[in-house]
Amino acid sequence: KAGYYTFYISDYAGNESLYVYEVLDDNTSPSIESTYKVSKKYKVITVKASVIDSQSNIKTVKYMPGKRSISDFLKDNSGTILEAVEGTYSFKTDKEGYYSIYATNYRGNKTVDIIYLQIIKATDISLSKVKKTLSVGDSYKLKPVLTPINSTDQITYKSSNTSVAKVTKAGKVKALKTGTVTVTATTSSGRKTTIRITIR
């Protein structure tokens, strides 16, 4: 409960002191920020939720399919409980649609966040450049643009010669030695585009 609490401290020599601590009232619900990612073959959708409460800390986080209210989660312990991994709560599903994430803190404040999961396949992909010249040791971050812009497709990258230039999963090209390579960017839907990189 909120209010003032007094601590009394004494030692064996007879010294005494008091410490007064105020516990503030907390009427603020936790905040939830949800995102999702679709696997390359569209079989799994992974939802991640960042749940924050700056005063009373998080007690419980659960989820349910559909558009749900707080009362839905309070009926017969409904919902699937989520455990935090490095501060993030997550779950996986193979179905599109609405999902509700519920959180409560240790003071009993509750909230629900509703997220809509949708698989949006890319119909096209382009890069900001079709040619690029680098010096040995340089790095260059590819900048892909998907159509539609809200596509949930993932992008994979491949270098035609990894001894000349390597490319990371995030699309960062590292120039290793003199030569020319073609880097191909491919969407989950199979759309492709390339960039020719010359290293001097």
Side-chain angles (χ1 to χ4, degrees):
K1 293 182 179 180
Y4 289 96
Y5 292 82
T6 303
F7 295 84
Y8 166 81
I9 306 102
S10 66
D11 62 19
Y12 288 104
N15 301 302
E16 301 173 310
S17 65
L18 293 177
Y19 176 72
V20 179
Y21 184 81
E22 182 185 9
V23 176
L24 299 174
D25 203 1
D26 179 8
N27 298 313
T28 304
S29 298
S31 64
I32 304 174
E33 291 186 9
S34 306
T35 59
Y36 71 96
K37 187 175 183 179
V38 180
S39 66
K40 293 178 184 177
K41 295 184 179 180
Y42 308 114
K43 291 183 178 180
V44 178
I45 303 174
T46 302
V47 179
K48 291 188 176 182
S50 174
V51 186
I52 299 172
D53 189 284
S54 59
Q55 288 182 273
S56 304
N57 293 327
I58 302 301
K59 182 180 180 181
T60 305
V61 177
K62 300 191 287 186
Y63 84 93
M64 292 176 68
K67 287 184 177 181
R68 307 287 182 170
S69 64
I70 290 175
S71 61
D72 290 326
F73 285 92
L74 301 179
K75 296 175 183 176
D76 300 322
N77 296 318
S78 297
T80 301
I81 294 177
L82 300 175
E83 300 293 338
V85 178
E86 297 182 352
T88 301
Y89 300 84
S90 66
F91 65 90
K92 295 182 179 181
T93 180
D94 58 357
K95 294 180 174 63
E96 299 177 79
Y98 286 101
Y99 288 80
S100 301
I101 301 171
Y102 161 93
T104 180
N105 61 20
Y106 281 96
R107 301 297 283 279
N109 300 306
K110 305 169 182 67
T111 189
V112 169
D113 180 59
I114 297 174
I115 184 171
Y116 182 67
L117 310 184
Q118 184 180 16
I119 296 172
I120 305 172
K121 296 183 179 183
T123 57
D124 194 18
I125 181 174
S126 62
L127 294 169
S128 58
K129 295 179 182 293
V130 294
K131 293 181 181 179
K132 180 70 178 178
T133 300
L134 300 174
S135 297
V136 173
D138 284 352
S139 294
Y140 175 68
K141 182 70 169 66
L142 299 175
K143 301 176 179 66
V145 176
L146 296 180
T147 303
I149 198 167
N150 63 336
S151 169
T152 57
D153 272 18
Q154 292 191 47
I155 304 171
T156 55
Y157 301 94
K158 185 177 181 180
S159 169
S160 62
N161 191 336
T162 55
S163 66
V164 175
K166 289 185 177 181
V167 58
T168 66
K169 291 181 179 179
K172 186 176 182 180
V173 179
K174 176 72 173 179
L176 301 177
K177 69 179 184 181
T178 302
T180 301
V181 297
T182 298
V183 174
T184 304
T186 307
T187 68
S188 299
S189 60
R191 304 293 179 175
K192 296 181 180 182
T193 190
T194 60
I195 178 173
R196 191 169 179 82
I197 298 178
T198 303
I199 301 169
R200 298 176 177 173

